[in-house]
């Protein structure tokens, strides 16, 4: 059976006045119907660019994309907009990262939901309104009838995020791309929204790509996790394997910077020292080398490629992965 | 929304009061004396005193203001010392010309600027955008008082595509002749607005089309056409609307260049004529009407802003 989504060696670069920004450098992944893939990485690691490239939403004039993206076996990378429009909203939908800027500020909430229902599902005005109200209810918006006529500016961030989920789910897509659906929300709202997504996903047998910078978010919700660093996949594994066999120092560092529920909200997280490399001229060796506590000479010279780990489905890009280092330490 | 409007209405009444005071007193600062105009060669000191008394000009200024404003409320704006036409009559004949020129020129400007800006913003720096930009940039260098005589000479005098000077007749008299006469001055006046409206809308559209909510609209599978009309246009038209408000206000009694060229007695034309004659009752009347009209237009645009962008009413 062909997977729902297959991405092969996807590269994305942006033409900028200072040169080409290589935001995604050879990402491959695949996703089955009904499963969840977590994509984790620091800010700027290319998560948003990757998910938009998969959907075909990047601006054509500035973004160059190579490789392959197949949806239900059909190649969609660089497909014409008219073709992609057949998928957008109905097959693949996206929850955007920033609820404050992703809803149209001059249109009422209701309109923004019913619009797709009327166009894609051919519902009448009153049918669409009924469906929209029930969607608003499903995503946990209190008094949906009043919210239906509200403008985005009259709702809190959490409410707007729920509205975006309602919009994305309106036409029952097969694949939901959730790009950090909980950034900027407080911890309880975060958990509510993530649980809501999981519930709806199971009800609808929907596949989901859950993008986040927080390993904790995907720990309990994803079937498989991909760790991204500076446009590269540096480690990937089924979720339980990743947490038991973590091999790449960057993944370890990410885990160290994970927010804990026990912290009062808004405490500054322990972040990883140093900054990610410049995507205009990526270093020759391992992109993480300048910040890696285990880096050695080879790391600065040669770029490690993804290699299979001991457990099937686990791969990592590192010359000195954790298990080997541990062995070296004990012997 | 209701509160926003109520606040504006109170403000409107206060502003109109000040405007009426200003129209009255500023006109009194004008040089020249109406009594001299009325009496002409008969201006002996004794006659001057008599006429001054008849006109109430010997009363204190504030009393004169209250007499004037109470007449205004009864619909009486006085009459001309020279032609003895009532001021309301003069305004009644000339105001429609301004209204027609404003509506005509603005409709034309919108009809050209909107499609142009929408096409240009689809591909910023594309061929169409570059042509449109350089054309409008060139037009910036040609103010109306330069274009107007040239176009009038070419199209009305030489080629007779449009009727020549003094061919304006009121709308009620002959619709076709009226529209024909109004077209050329409307085109002349529209040119300045097209440049400004195109540039404002193009820039705002380009900025809006890069917003997250537009990418979001695309991800919903909407057509480009729908995204442009439903999602991008309204949030991009606020500066255009602001500019249209100012332009329309400035065109009331501000179209005298074309009025003079085409001998169409609009408000501006009448105002200048009356100032030259020291006909200050008429000057006062026209000033008041123009000022009130501008205030009302601003009020209307304040309301339009909230229709176009509901965020404004909440601020
Ligand atoms: N249109 C663009 N032009 C040039 N560079 C871009 C563009 N879009 C993104 N980038 C660059 O690509 C890199 C990856 O950005 P991306 O938004 O995908 O990061 P992210 O992982 O989603 O981070 P965050 O957690 O902050 O959302 C960044 O360095 C960014 O500056
Ligand atoms: S390759 Fe070297 S620098 Fe890169 S993560 Fe592994 S140990 Fe660190
Ligand atoms: Mg992002």
């Amino acid at each position: 059976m062909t997977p729902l989504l297959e991405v092969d060696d996807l590269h994305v670069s942006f033409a900028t006045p200072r040169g080409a920004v290589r935001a995604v450098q050879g990402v491959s992944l695949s996703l089955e119907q009904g499963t969840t893939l977590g994509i984790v990485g620091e800010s700027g690691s290319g998560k948003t660019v990757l998910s938009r490239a998969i959907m075909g939403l990047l601006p054509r004039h500035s973004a160059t994309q190579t490789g392959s993206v197949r949806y239900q076996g059909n190649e969609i990378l660089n497909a014409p907009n008219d073709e992609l429009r057949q998928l957008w909203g109905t097959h693949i939908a996206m929850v955007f990262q920033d609820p404050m800027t992703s809803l149209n500020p001059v249109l009422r909430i209701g309109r923004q939901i019913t619009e797709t229902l009327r166009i894609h599902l051919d519902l009448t005005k009153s049918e669409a309104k009924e469906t929209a109200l029930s969607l608003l209810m499903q995503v946990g918006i209190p008094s949906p009838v009043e919210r239906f006529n509200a403008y985005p500016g009259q709702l809190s961030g959490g409410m707007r995020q729920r509205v975006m989920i309602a919009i994305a789910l309106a036409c029952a897509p097969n694949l939901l791309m959730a790009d950090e659906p909980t950034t900027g929300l407080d911890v309880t709202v975060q958990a509510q929204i993530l649980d809501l997504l999981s519930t709806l996903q199971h009800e609808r047998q929907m596949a989901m790509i859950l993008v986040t910078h927080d390993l904790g978010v995907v720990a309990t919700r994803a079937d498989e996790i991909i760790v991204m660093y500076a446009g590269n996949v540096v480690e990937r594994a089924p979720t339980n394997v990743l947490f038991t066999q973590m091999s790449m120092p960057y993944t370890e560092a990410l885990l160290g910077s994970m927010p804990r529920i026990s912290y009062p909200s808004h405490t500054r997280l322990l972040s990883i020292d140093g900054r990610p490399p410049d995507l205009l001229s990526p270093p020759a060796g391992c992109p993480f080398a300048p910040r890696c506590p285990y880096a050695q000479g080879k790391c600065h010279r040669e770029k490690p490629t993804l290699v299979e780990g001991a457990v099937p489905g686990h791969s990592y890009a590192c010359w000195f992965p954790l298990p080997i280092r541990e062995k070296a330490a004990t012997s | 929304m209701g509160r926003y409007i109520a606040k504006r209405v109170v403000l409107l009444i206060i502003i109109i009061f000040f405007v009426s005071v200003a129209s009255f007193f500023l006109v009194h600062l004008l040089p020249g004396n109406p009594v001299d105009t009325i009496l002409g060669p008969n201006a002996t000191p004794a006659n001057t005193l008599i006429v001054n008394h008849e006109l109430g000009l010997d009363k204190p200024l504030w009393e004169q203001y209250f007499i004037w404003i109470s007449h205004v409320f009864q619909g009486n704006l006085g009459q001309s010392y020279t032609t003895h036409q009532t001021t309301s009559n003069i305004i009644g004949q000339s105001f429609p010309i301004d209204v027609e020129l404003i509506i005509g020129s603005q409709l034309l400007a919108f009809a050209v600027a909107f499609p142009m800006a929408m096409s240009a913003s689809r591909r910023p720096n594309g061929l169409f955008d570059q042509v449109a930009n350089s054309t409008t940039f060139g037009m910036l260098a040609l103010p109306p008082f330069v274009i107007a005589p040239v176009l009038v000479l070419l199209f009305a005098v030489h080629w007779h595509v449009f009727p020549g000077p003094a061919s304006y007749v009121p709308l009620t008299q002959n619709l076709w002749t009226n529209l024909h006469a109004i077209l050329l001055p409307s085109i002349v006046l529209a040119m300045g607005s097209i440049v400004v409206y195109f540039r404002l809308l193009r820039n705002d559209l380009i900025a809006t089309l890069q917003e997250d909510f537009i990418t979001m609209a695309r991800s919903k599978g909407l057509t480009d056409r729908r995204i442009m009309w439903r999602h991008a246009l309204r949030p991009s038209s606020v500066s255009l609307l602001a500019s249209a408000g100012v332009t329309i206000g400035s065109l009331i009694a501000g179209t005298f260049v074309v009025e003079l060229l085409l001998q169409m007695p609009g408000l501006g034309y009448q105002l200048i004529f009356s100032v030259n004659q020291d006909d200050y009752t008429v000057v006062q009347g026209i000033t008041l009407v123009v000022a009130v009209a501008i205030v009302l237009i601003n009020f209307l645009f304040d309301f339009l802003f909230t229709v176009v962008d509901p965020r404004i009413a909440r601020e």
Side-chain angles (χ1 to χ4, degrees):
Chain A
M1 218 186 83
T2 49
L4 181 70
L5 180 75
E6 278 178 288
V7 176
D8 263 329
D9 197 29
L10 178 63
H11 289 256
V12 181
S13 69
F14 293 99
T16 69
R18 293 171 52 228
V21 174
R22 301 175 53 200
V24 174
Q25 302 169 21
V27 170
S28 302
L29 56 88
S30 86
L31 186 62
E32 304 286 345
Q33 185 70 52
T35 61
T36 301
L37 173 69
I39 299 183
V40 192
E42 278 177 298
S43 185
S45 54
K47 307 179 298 291
T48 297
V49 173
L50 172 64
S51 39
R52 291 194 184 186
I54 291 174
M55 252 187 113
L57 284 171
L58 291 174
R60 291 291 160 86
H61 53 92
S62 62
T64 313
Q65 320 174 99
T66 61
S68 163
V69 176
R70 289 185 298 281
Y71 175 77
Q72 292 179 335
N74 302 314
E75 179 61 53
I76 57 170
L77 188 69
N78 295 319
N81 272 329
D82 289 338
E83 213 170 282
L84 289 171
R85 209 172 286 126
Q86 309 300 315
L87 300 178
W88 288 338
T90 47
H91 285 261
I92 313 178
M94 187 177 238
V95 176
F96 284 74
Q97 184 165 1
D98 187 354
M100 295 320 208
T101 57
S102 302
L103 290 170
N104 192 323
V106 308
L107 294 180
R108 295 178 197 276
I109 299 296
R111 221 350 158 52
Q112 299 191 49
I113 306 176
T114 54
E115 167 171 68
T116 40
L117 293 167
R118 298 200 58 192
I119 291 171
H120 296 312
L121 307 183
D122 255 333
L123 300 188
T124 64
K125 201 170 172 181
S126 60
E127 287 168 344
K129 179 164 183 178
E130 233 168 79
T131 313
L133 287 175
S134 99
L135 277 164
L136 286 176
M137 210 116 79
Q138 282 180 55
V139 297
I141 289 189
S143 45
V145 181
E146 283 124 67
R147 300 288 194 260
F148 187 87
N149 287 319
Y151 289 100
Q154 295 166 312
L155 302 185
S156 68
M159 285 299 142
R160 290 191 218 185
Q161 195 59 269
R162 286 166 199 260
V163 170
M164 293 223 292
I165 294 174
I167 293 174
L169 294 178
C171 301
N174 292 329
L175 170 58
L176 184 72
M177 314 278 273
D179 188 359
E180 309 215 25
T182 57
T183 27
L185 303 183
D186 68 60
V187 186
T188 32
V189 183
Q190 264 190 36
Q192 280 171 11
I193 290 197
L194 291 166
D195 291 343
L196 171 75
L197 277 173
S198 303
T199 316
L200 294 169
Q201 184 194 10
H202 288 123
E203 277 172 22
R204 295 157 178 250
Q205 270 305 295
M206 182 173 72
M208 178 156 79
I209 290 186
L210 183 55
V211 173
T212 172
H213 56 264
D214 178 359
L215 259 178
V217 162
V218 280
T220 54
R221 294 179 174 89
D223 300 297
E224 196 188 2
I225 293 175
I226 281 182
V227 180
M228 280 190 79
Y229 184 71
N232 295 276
V233 174
V234 293
E235 184 158 16
R236 64 182 285 183
T239 306
N240 54 341
V241 177
L242 188 82
F243 282 94
T244 51
Q245 316 261 326
M246 194 168 286
S247 301
M248 161 80 192
Y250 175 65
T251 315
E252 193 188 34
L254 265 187
L255 191 66
S257 72
M258 230 175 83
R260 301 289 150 83
I261 295 294
S262 55
Y263 292 166
S265 62
H266 306 301
T267 347
R268 264 193 74 81
L269 303 177
L270 241 175
S271 57
I272 309 169
D273 281 338
R275 285 157 40 88
D278 186 2
L279 296 172
L280 281 165
S281 49
C286 172
F288 192 51
R291 304 163 73 185
C292 179
Y294 314 108
Q296 309 196 12
K298 185 179 187 183
C299 303
H300 293 280
R301 289 190 305 271
E302 279 174 72
K303 184 171 172 176
T305 51
L306 273 180
V307 293
E308 289 288 321
V311 186
H314 180 203
S315 49
Y316 49 81
C318 178
W319 295 125
F320 306 102
L322 259 176
I324 298 175
R325 286 199 305 275
E326 271 166 6
K327 239 180 268 162
T330 50
S331 62
Chain B
M1 190 70 176
R3 269 195 53 192
Y4 178 83
I5 306 255
K7 255 171 144 175
R8 296 280 140 168
V9 171
V10 172
L11 202 63
L12 182 77
I13 293 168
I14 298 171
I15 291 174
I16 288 183
F17 168 73
F18 280 108
V19 157
S20 74
V21 173
S23 329
F24 181 84
F25 287 97
L26 285 178
V27 169
H28 272 269
L29 295 178
L30 287 177
N33 182 350
V35 179
D36 295 338
T37 315
I38 295 167
L39 291 173
N42 304 328
T44 62
N47 281 345
T48 307
L49 267 182
I50 293 168
V51 175
N52 250 338
H53 185 72
E54 275 173 5
L55 294 177
L57 293 178
D58 51 352
K59 296 200 175 85
L61 262 185
W62 63 267
E63 206 182 325
Q64 289 185 43
Y65 169 77
F66 280 109
I67 294 170
W68 175 70
I69 201 76
S70 65
H71 285 164
V72 169
F73 273 114
Q74 292 157 28
N76 173 9
L77 287 168
Q79 62 174 19
S80 161
Y81 302 129
T82 49
T83 62
H84 301 290
Q85 250 188 315
T86 63
T87 308
S88 343
N89 212 338
I90 293 172
I91 293 174
Q93 281 166 10
S94 51
F95 203 14
I97 296 181
D98 288 69
V99 173
E100 274 195 77
L101 285 178
I102 288 170
I103 293 178
S105 65
Q106 296 304 297
L107 283 183
L108 273 174
F110 285 137
V112 176
F114 268 85
M116 242 170 96
M118 288 196 275
S119 315
S121 63
R122 272 212 183 99
R123 297 192 139 275
N125 295 320
L127 182 68
F128 182 82
D129 188 34
Q130 291 191 0
V131 171
N133 265 321
S134 31
T135 316
T136 49
F137 191 74
M139 278 163 71
L140 266 185
L142 297 170
F145 58 84
V146 177
I147 310 177
V150 175
L151 291 188
V152 169
L153 261 177
L154 287 181
F155 289 98
V157 180
H158 270 286
W159 296 330
H160 303 290
V161 183
F162 295 110
S167 45
Y168 175 85
V169 297
L171 198 76
T172 43
Q173 195 178 320
N174 185 328
L175 180 69
W176 177 240
T177 320
N178 170 281
L179 290 182
H180 202 188
I182 224 76
L183 197 54
L184 181 60
S186 296
I187 292 173
V188 171
L189 294 172
M191 293 181 55
S193 302
I194 288 172
V195 176
V196 178
Y197 298 169
F198 164 76
R199 305 203 129 218
L200 287 174
L201 187 59
R202 170 202 175 266
N203 291 347
D204 285 356
L205 271 175
I206 289 175
T208 303
L209 289 173
Q210 284 166 3
E211 296 272 359
D212 284 346
F213 65 80
I214 295 295
T215 314
M216 165 96 175
R218 289 178 60 217
S219 82
K220 288 158 80 175
L222 309 180
T223 57
D224 289 350
R225 200 186 160 76
R226 192 183 171 90
I227 290 173
M228 178 60 84
W229 284 93
R230 275 291 160 80
H231 286 262
L233 206 51
R234 260 174 62 198
S236 313
S237 346
V238 175
S239 9
L240 177 140
L241 206 61
S243 158
V246 175
T247 307
I248 291 174
S250 71
L251 283 178
I252 299 175
T255 58
F256 51 81
V257 174
V258 284
E259 287 173 17
L260 219 62
L261 274 166
L262 287 167
Q263 291 296 304
M264 298 166 88
L267 276 179
Y269 185 101
Q270 291 288 8
L271 188 62
I272 288 180
F273 180 79
S274 312
V275 168
N276 281 338
Q277 302 284 318
D278 287 333
D279 204 344
Y280 83 100
T281 316
V282 180
V283 174
Q284 249 165 13
I286 294 180
T287 312
L288 181 68
V289 166
V290 169
V292 169
I294 291 175
V295 171
L296 287 177
I297 281 168
N298 281 330
F299 176 71
L300 174 72
F301 273 81
D302 277 344
F303 172 71
L304 285 180
F305 283 140
T306 68
V307 175
V308 165
D309 193 338
R311 281 172 296 184
I312 291 169
R314 284 196 305 272
E315 271 158 18

